[in-house]
Amino acid sequence: MQSLFEYLNSLSLFTLFLLFLVENAVLVLMAVLLGFAHDGLLREMGRIITRQEIYWTYSTIFFNTLITLVGFVLYKQHVIIFNIEFDFLKMFIDFVVLILILDLLMYVFHWATHKLQFIYRYHDLHHRYNTPTAISLFVLHPFEMMGFGMLWLSLLIVIHFSIYAVILYLMFNVAMGIIGQLRKEFVLVALKNNVLLQWFANTSFHVDHHQHEHTNFGFYTNFWDRLFRTLK
C-alpha cells in the first residue's frame, strides 16, 4: 500500500484526475450492470435507462472524481492521515465505526433534504423515480453530491482511519446503495426477520422511501428511523 501511495504522489493533478475518473466510471458501470443483472433486466437496459439518467450519472461520476481528488490532495498535505499498516482488528473496528458514524450523519442529511424546502428542490431530482433501478443511485444533483462529499472528507480529517477499513467501507457503501435501488428484494424472505439482518436497510426499505418520502431516511440501517419514529 505504501508503494501505491508513493506512485500516486508522483503523478500530476491532471493525471490523478484522469485516473480517478476512470476508477469512478468503472465502479459505476460495474454497479449498474450487477444491479440490472440481479433484477433480470440486462437485455432491457436500453429501453429502461433514459438519457436524463445517463446525463446525471455522468455528472455524478465527475463530482465523485473531484471529491476523490480533493481527498487525495488533503492526504498529500497531511490534513487527512491514514493508517496504512495492515492490522485486522484495527481495520474491523474502523470499518464498524465508519458505518455507525456515517449512517447517523447521512440519516440527518437525508432527513434535512426532505424537511428543508431550499434543499429538497435539489434532492427532488432523485425522487422522480418511484420504481428505481440500479442507475437511479447515481441520479443525484451536484449540490447533494458535494454535501455527501463534505461529510465524508470532514470525517476523514477528524479521525485517522485504517486505509483498509476505508476501502472496505467504500465497497460496502456502493453495495448498500445498489441494494436500495433494486426491483427485486436482495435478502431472501426467510432471512428478512433475522435478528441481525432486520436492522439493515434492505431493498423494500428504500423502495418504500421513494413511495412515501417522509419515511425511511436511513442508508445502511433502520436504527435511526426506529429511534426517531420515521420508519414506515
Side-chain angles (χ1 to χ4, degrees):
M1 188 62 72
Q2 180 68 46
S3 59
L4 174 60
F5 276 105
E6 289 175 357
Y7 170 71
L8 293 175
N9 276 328
S10 70
L11 301 178
S12 67
L13 283 180
F14 181 71
T15 304
L16 283 170
F17 178 82
L18 292 180
L19 181 64
F20 294 149
L21 184 66
V22 171
E23 173 203 11
N24 278 285
V26 169
L27 287 174
V28 168
L29 179 61
M30 289 176 59
V32 172
L33 289 175
L34 286 172
F36 272 86
H38 175 272
D39 287 339
L41 297 173
L42 272 177
R43 293 183 179 180
E44 300 182 61
M45 286 179 67
R47 177 183 62 83
I48 295 173
I49 297 176
T50 66
R51 288 184 180 180
Q52 278 193 327
E53 286 177 310
I54 294 174
Y55 166 79
W56 287 112
T57 299
Y58 285 156
S59 170
T60 293
I61 292 171
F62 175 78
F63 282 97
N64 262 339
T65 301
L66 281 183
I67 292 165
T68 307
L69 184 62
V70 170
F72 188 78
V73 170
L74 292 175
Y75 166 78
K76 285 187 68 173
Q77 300 298 322
H78 305 292
V79 177
I80 290 176
I81 298 174
F82 294 120
N83 293 307
I84 59 176
E85 292 185 8
F86 182 78
D87 181 316
F88 181 82
L89 183 60
K90 168 70 173 170
M91 177 187 71
F92 178 76
I93 292 173
D94 283 2
F95 176 60
V96 172
V97 169
L98 277 165
I99 292 173
L100 293 177
I101 295 177
L102 283 162
D103 194 39
L104 172 59
L105 292 178
M106 292 200 290
Y107 172 90
V108 174
F109 184 84
H110 195 189
W111 176 89
T113 62
H114 280 269
K115 299 301 181 181
L116 304 177
Q117 190 59 39
F118 76 96
I119 300 178
Y120 180 76
R121 62 181 178 175
Y122 302 112
H123 184 60
D124 181 56
L125 171 67
H126 183 68
H127 276 277
R128 293 178 184 176
Y129 308 94
N130 289 327
T131 53
T133 61
I135 200 169
S136 304
L137 173 63
F138 306 103
V139 179
L140 297 168
H141 192 281
F143 176 86
E144 192 167 6
M145 286 298 307
M146 299 311 289
F148 285 132
M150 287 174 63
L151 282 179
W152 171 238
L153 295 178
S154 296
L155 183 59
L156 294 182
I157 290 170
V158 173
I159 303 177
H160 301 165
F161 291 104
S162 159
I163 187 61
Y164 300 97
V166 170
I167 293 170
L168 270 181
Y169 165 77
L170 290 173
M171 294 169 61
F172 174 80
N173 179 59
V174 173
M176 290 299 292
I178 291 299
I179 288 171
Q181 307 295 327
L182 297 174
R183 292 190 176 181
K184 293 181 180 178
E185 183 63 72
F186 182 78
V187 178
L188 297 174
V189 175
L191 298 176
K192 284 184 69 174
N193 293 322
N194 176 274
V195 173
L196 179 61
L197 292 179
Q198 67 177 334
W199 290 93
F200 282 89
N202 53 34
T203 302
S204 56
F205 174 88
H206 191 72
V207 171
D208 282 344
H209 170 70
H210 273 256
Q211 296 173 352
H212 307 277
E213 293 188 20
H214 297 290
T215 62
N216 297 12
F217 297 114
F219 270 64
Y220 310 131
T221 75
N222 56 44
F223 175 80
W224 304 109
D225 287 286
R226 290 173 186 256
L227 182 65
F228 297 117
R229 299 182 180 180
T230 54
L231 181 67
K232 182 180 179 303

